[in-house]
Amino acid sequence: MSKQKSRNTGIEMALRKALHSAGFRYRVHRRPVKGVRREADLVFGPARVAVFVDGCFWHGCPEHATWPKNNAEFWREKIETNRRRDADTDARLDDAGWLAVRIWEHESVEVATDRVITAVRERRRVSGVLQ
């Protein structure tokens, strides 16, 4: 499991390429809020949108999560801890005025791109920030 990529995964790279092609600019692997030790995969600073691309196994996808039979208690606790940390991250970002967008690795790039673009445009419209 230690060989699994945590950065620059296939879906993340495809999402970045699609967003860049659509004219959106972002920061990669940054902490959106100082003092919160959580790193987003994509950060749209002026719009205050943080995008997280979550793996189905590691983050307990409701559609595709699998529970290993070997060392089951360890893995269940590990995945549940990840879920709690994700919820805490979303709450901390919300408290700081940020929007967290969670993309599952199984989502199509087109759907994920549309979700991010919609979120960023809406936040820009509300805050008066232009692209």
Side-chain angles (χ1 to χ4, degrees):
M1 291 288 190
S2 64
K3 302 256 188 228
Q4 294 292 317
K5 288 178 79 170
S6 62
R7 290 179 167 215
N8 304 324
T9 61
I11 181 66
E12 185 183 330
M13 296 302 291
L15 178 62
R16 284 165 41 183
K17 182 178 179 181
L19 289 167
H20 195 274
S21 293
F24 287 81
R25 301 299 179 258
Y26 45 82
R27 299 286 182 195
V28 179
H29 301 292
R30 295 282 173 98
R31 292 180 184 170
V33 178
K34 290 181 181 175
V36 178
R37 294 186 57 211
R38 311 286 166 73
E39 188 178 274
D41 295 308
L42 302 174
V43 176
F44 296 85
R48 291 183 164 228
V49 174
V51 179
F52 298 87
V53 180
D54 294 338
C56 289
F57 175 77
W58 296 105
H59 296 268
C61 169
E63 290 181 43
H64 301 107
T66 58
W67 301 105
K69 290 181 178 49
N70 291 335
N71 209 2
E73 188 176 320
F74 167 82
W75 285 110
R76 183 166 293 275
E77 181 59 30
K78 171 70 174 157
I79 293 167
E80 291 300 331
T81 299
N82 289 347
R83 284 178 168 175
R84 287 190 298 272
R85 186 179 56 245
D86 291 345
D88 180 63
T89 299
D90 294 352
R92 287 175 183 241
L93 291 176
D94 186 55
D95 290 346
W98 284 73
L99 173 66
V101 176
R102 298 249 169 214
I103 305 294
W104 289 107
E105 71 177 338
H106 68 262
E107 287 186 62
S108 74
V109 174
E110 295 78 19
V111 169
T113 302
D114 287 344
R115 287 182 50 217
V116 173
I117 287 173
T118 300
V120 171
R121 283 186 175 152
E122 178 61 23
R123 297 285 295 211
R124 286 178 176 163
R125 187 187 63 75
V126 169
S127 67
V129 177
L130 299 175
Q131 161 77 19

